[in-house]
Amino acid sequence: MSDQRAELPRATRAGEPPRRGGRRVRHAVSAALLWTVALIFLLPLVYTVATSLKPAGEVFGSPPTLWGSELRWRNYAEAMNYLPFERFILNGLLVAGVGTAVVLVSSSLAAYAFARLRWRGRDSVFLTFLVTLMIPQEVLVVPMFILMLQFGWVDSYQALILPWAFTAFGAFLLRQFFLTVPRELDDAATIDGAGRFRIFWSVMLPLARPSIAVLAVFTFITYWNSFLWPLIITTSVETKGTVPLGLSLFFSQQGSQWNLVMAASVVSMVPTVALVLLLRRHLVSGIATAGLGGR
Amino acid sequence: MSVESDRPLRDPVPARRPAAGGRRPGPGAGGRAGAAARRKRRGEFGTAALFASPAVIGLTLFTLFPIAMSLVISFFDWPGFGERSVVGFANYADLLAGDHFHRVVLNTLLFTVLYLPLNIVVSLGLAVWIATMGRGRQTLRVLFFIPVITPIVANVLVWRMIYQPNGAIDGLFGVFGATAPNFLGDENWAMLALVAMSVWQGFGYNMLIFSAAIDNIPATLNEAAGLDGAGPWARFRHITVPMISPAMFFASTMTLITTFQVFAQPYLLTGGGPGVATETLVLFIYRQGFSSYALGAASAAGWILFILIFLVTAVQFAVQRKWVNYDV
């Protein structure tokens, strides 16, 4: 994969018409334009950060200013103190972390059973998994809510985590990857006396590390950002709320204090942005496998 | 959690191994083919059950069962508290007969019709443009992807500041002595404002999908076309588009499905207003279910949403043969 990527700029250059004087200039102009577009695109995010550091009186005005007369870092402390934001962050980390762990364990195990084991009913079970991918979450929220009532799980961490920890997507993604692993590796391990679990653990999982990393990051982000379900199932936001819920509550109570609302927004963005920046080298190839696995 | 979950699996497998070894005269003697044939004959149901059961049980309990339950509930008058009664298709009939629901479905379709083409054009255009860059293309791709992964609640809140009267856009208008339209409060603008915000926040995902597909186009194709004198537009039209058409099909299908489910934007930007001008299906379902506690009607609306998604996806699959090229 990395070879291919390294090759591409060279190849693209070679593909273009023979060198002419204007070509380099045109390319530079195009690059400058593109970066301008990127900066304009990012303005709302910059505006979020800038507003989070403004004094309250300077948030709006004409002409609008990006930066205030001072950098008011205290906004962050005030926003964090108004609602128990540490609590929301911890809740979010707990829910997203445990949820991701459950997703990884259950989907990698199932993927192995689908890709490598022979058992009666395997293909129909797999087909059922695929069909469920078409059902929108919104069809499920009402019965899920009733189910949670029956379990006595309303307003609990398990209700935030478990209902969405067994979707078919992860099993499908990893199955597609396991199928590309040469069977000779399994056979060699079998000859060395490894059992099924040993093969799964010591042969397949290490090979699948990139796919698992992509699955983990996107699962974590989905949990962290999730809004509709926590809105439905969490009744005591102050103790069980996750970050988007806290943010929404904060907005409904302090909607006029935009500098504080934006400070809370910036905090909510940090973990996911950090994860994506960490993953940036694998982002395109990861999306290629995770996204296009379904086609 | 993860340690707990894999412990039950760890124990049975070593316990199984001596038995499996006993049945086998030794891998060398039977040979690979023999072992495989025996495995095929006997199956590995026990092992498979251990591996697949967490996912299968979870999916059954938290997806299959709720699906069935949702269908049942949709035939009930099911209030949050109090008596439930079977009403047959009345929930569906009431919804389909109601002006409010018509408007909600129309809003959802309008949002989709505006959002999907814009999303695809912007993401494809930028993916192609970025692919011509040498250095910095990875950085550019990450930049455009950021709003996809920041919490949508946070994204929506900053756009409220941008749109609202006295907000950023209005402030800019003020420089010229003008007043900006009331983007969120004006019936003619509210839907457009939702779409623009949603494109900004969502197109980065498809842009990455297209980028990955473009990276996989063999460079020799473009080289050959370039030598034959094909200009950038001709190469885009006759090489890039056909080569990435499977990615375009995938992206448009997935985007369509998620577009029908738009919720946070109308919920937080306009509250579905003004009036019901921007109330979408999922916002309607949410309000039916969890403000009015009409769980039967909410379930029925959920199934209508699913049928809509299913029909449109089926149409997409039917027409894909005309334009998607898998011969590569």
Side-chain angles (χ1 to χ4, degrees), chain B residues 1-269:
Chain B
M1 194 71 201
S2 86
V3 179
E4 267 175 65
S5 323
D6 62 26
R7 181 156 302 147
L9 284 161
R10 230 174 250 243
D11 296 335
V13 174
R16 207 188 111 79
R17 227 192 304 153
R23 260 176 257 147
R24 205 162 36 198
R32 248 191 255 151
R38 217 168 316 122
R39 222 182 293 140
K40 192 170 191 171
R41 215 180 318 120
R42 203 174 51 238
E44 296 172 296
F45 201 88
T47 320
L50 288 172
F51 274 93
S53 54
V56 170
I57 294 171
L59 195 85
T60 307
L61 184 60
F62 292 120
T63 302
L64 297 178
F65 178 63
I67 289 173
M69 203 168 144
S70 158
L71 200 56
V72 171
I73 296 170
S74 76
F75 294 113
F76 272 80
D77 178 25
W78 194 302
F81 306 95
E83 285 289 293
R84 295 156 202 163
S85 52
V86 184
V87 294
F89 282 94
N91 286 326
Y92 292 92
D94 288 351
L95 285 175
L96 294 174
D99 285 344
H100 183 190
F101 189 70
H102 288 170
R103 184 60 201 266
V104 164
V105 172
L106 271 181
N107 287 341
T108 309
L109 292 176
L110 179 63
F111 181 86
T112 308
V113 166
L114 294 171
Y115 174 82
L116 182 70
L118 267 176
N119 178 312
I120 299 291
V121 167
V122 172
S123 55
L124 184 60
L126 275 170
V128 170
W129 194 1
I130 292 174
T132 65
M133 296 294 122
R135 263 187 312 147
R137 45 199 223 143
Q138 221 61 351
T139 313
L140 282 162
R141 286 166 175 173
V142 173
L143 287 185
F144 285 111
F145 189 65
I146 285 177
V148 175
I149 49 85
T150 46
I152 188 146
V153 177
N155 292 340
V156 167
L157 289 180
V158 69
W159 278 87
R160 244 188 110 118
M161 283 185 65
I162 293 173
Y163 280 143
Q164 71 179 22
N166 295 321
I169 297 180
D170 201 18
L172 275 180
F173 271 63
V175 176
F176 306 103
T179 314
N182 184 356
F183 293 106
L184 301 175
D186 184 329
E187 186 141 351
N188 298 315
W189 283 99
M191 184 59 89
L192 294 175
L194 278 193
V195 170
M197 183 274 151
S198 304
V199 170
W200 173 82
Q201 96 102 31
F203 82 83
Y205 186 80
N206 286 340
M207 185 214 58
L208 276 197
I209 288 186
F210 294 147
S211 294
I214 289 171
D215 280 1
N216 282 330
I217 299 177
T220 47
L221 278 183
N222 273 310
E223 276 169 42
L227 291 177
D228 288 345
W233 174 250
R235 274 180 281 156
F236 172 74
R237 179 77 194 69
H238 298 292
I239 295 176
T240 309
V241 169
M243 290 298 288
I244 69 168
S245 56
M248 289 174 66
F249 173 62
F250 172 80
S252 53
T253 309
M254 296 307 289
T255 307
L256 194 77
I257 293 175
T258 50
T259 304
F260 272 111
Q261 302 170 36
V262 58
F263 170 71
Q265 291 94 314
Y267 179 77
L268 288 164
L269 263 185

Side-chain angles (χ1 to χ4, degrees), chain A residues 8 11 27 30 41 48 60 62 64 109 118-119 138-139 142-144 146 166 187 196 225 232 251 258 272 291, chain B residues 9 32 44 48 51 59 62 66 73 129 132-133 149 151 158 161 164 166 171 200 203 215 219 250 261 282 302:
Chain A
L8 251 150
H27 193 268
S30 161
F41 171 82
T48 308
F60 295 117
S62 183
L109 286 169
R118 291 195 182 81
W119 40 291
E138 291 73 27
V139 173
V142 170
M144 199 73 92
I146 295 173
F166 299 97
D187 291 338
R196 283 305 196 181
N225 291 343
I232 290 170
F251 170 69
W258 279 106
T272 53
Chain B
L9 284 161
R32 248 191 255 151
E44 296 172 296
F51 274 93
L59 195 85
F62 292 120
I73 296 170
W129 194 1
T132 65
M133 296 294 122
I149 49 85
V158 69
M161 283 185 65
Q164 71 179 22
N166 295 321
W200 173 82
F203 82 83
D215 280 1
F250 172 80
Q261 302 170 36
V282 174

Side-chain angles (χ1 to χ4, degrees), chain A residues 22-70:
Chain A
R23 212 179 65 78
R24 199 175 300 168
V25 178
R26 272 216 316 273
H27 193 268
V29 170
S30 161
L33 255 177
L34 183 52
W35 279 98
T36 312
V37 170
L39 289 181
I40 294 172
F41 171 82
L42 287 177
L43 264 182
L45 294 179
V46 177
Y47 190 48
T48 308
V49 176
T51 307
S52 76
L53 294 169
K54 275 182 185 174
E58 298 176 24
V59 171
F60 295 117
S62 183
T65 52
L66 195 51
W67 302 98
S69 57
E70 53 162 326

